[in-house]
Amino acid sequence: MTWIVFDYGEVLCTRTEALPRLATRLGVPLADFEPAYWGNRDVYDRGAADETYWKAVAAGAGADLDTVDLGAVEDLTRLDIEGWSRLDPASTALLDDLARDGASLALLSNAPASFARFAERQPWARHFHTRVFSADVGCAKPDPDIFALLTDRLGAAPSDCVFFDDRRSNVAGARAAGLRAHLWQGAQAARQRLAGG
């Protein structure tokens, strides 16, 4: 059996456009907010709590989250999830077609737990036999452990998995773990790749 494994961010969904709203909610300039947002993301994806992450982002952007207000963590988390929730129509069509054709699909995403719980409730999630979110397992791509965990859950050899990710480091990590990994270049390119073209 061949498994088709997808990343989520900027593969199934479009890049978040929520950063300006998040910076405004925190009361800091976008230029200060963005490096703090991305610079602390790996720890968040590996299981840090929402409050821990947003306090680190606030500190990195020159704000004190404790002085914003009690609802700030909830608001920031909600806005962040919304930013990552917009599916790419071409990717959605690809998923629908693969599922209709009986393909064995899995999801492997670096994502915080709050987003993982949101994602599990979305209609597209039903297409995936297995969904692995980094925050739930305490490791993240491109670590070899997460690829081993994925293949163990699938009961598959790494070479039985075709994997698509938008980050070169994750593709390299997957290849090192034995998966047939490809850099995401859009749904049409993925269709051609899967068709052997």
Side-chain angles (χ1 to χ4, degrees):
M1 177 186 293
T2 296
W3 288 90
I4 306 171
V5 185
F6 289 95
D7 174 38
Y8 178 78
E10 300 184 58
V11 172
L12 300 184
C13 77
T14 58
R15 186 175 179 84
T16 182
E17 296 179 357
L19 270 60
R21 284 176 288 153
L22 289 163
T24 297
R25 180 63 182 88
L26 200 52
V28 298
L30 180 59
D32 295 334
F33 175 82
E34 190 163 1
Y37 176 90
W38 292 116
N40 290 284
R41 200 71 185 185
D42 185 62
V43 176
Y44 196 26
D45 286 343
R46 291 173 185 270
D50 295 335
E51 183 175 3
T52 302
Y53 172 67
W54 292 116
K55 283 189 173 183
V57 171
D64 182 352
L65 193 59
D66 291 332
T67 66
V68 179
D69 66 60
L70 292 175
V73 170
E74 290 78 6
D75 288 348
L76 291 163
T77 302
R78 175 182 53 79
L79 289 168
D80 191 46
I81 289 171
E82 288 174 1
W84 290 107
S85 65
R86 204 176 51 231
L87 292 186
D88 179 274
S91 296
T92 301
L94 173 60
L95 274 187
D96 290 343
D97 290 347
L98 289 171
R100 182 198 64 223
D101 293 343
S104 299
L105 303 176
L107 181 74
L108 179 61
S109 177
N110 285 359
S114 53
F115 182 83
R117 304 293 79 79
F118 165 83
E120 290 170 342
R121 301 190 300 271
Q122 303 313 300
W124 56 264
R126 73 184 187 279
H127 292 319
F128 294 102
H129 173 276
T130 297
R131 298 182 297 268
V132 177
F133 295 101
S134 58
D136 292 337
V137 297
C139 59
K141 298 174 291 182
D143 295 356
D145 289 352
I146 201 164
F147 297 110
L149 185 148
L150 170 73
T151 54
D152 183 63
R153 288 191 180 180
L154 296 178
S159 59
D160 292 333
C161 300
V162 178
F163 175 60
F164 293 99
D165 197 292
D166 66 304
R167 295 191 177 185
R168 293 183 185 279
S169 60
N170 294 341
V171 171
R175 287 177 178 168
L179 284 72
R180 292 180 280 154
H182 306 285
L183 187 68
W184 180 255
Q185 296 176 315
Q188 186 56 37
R191 287 180 186 275
Q192 292 173 350
R193 176 74 65 179
L194 292 169

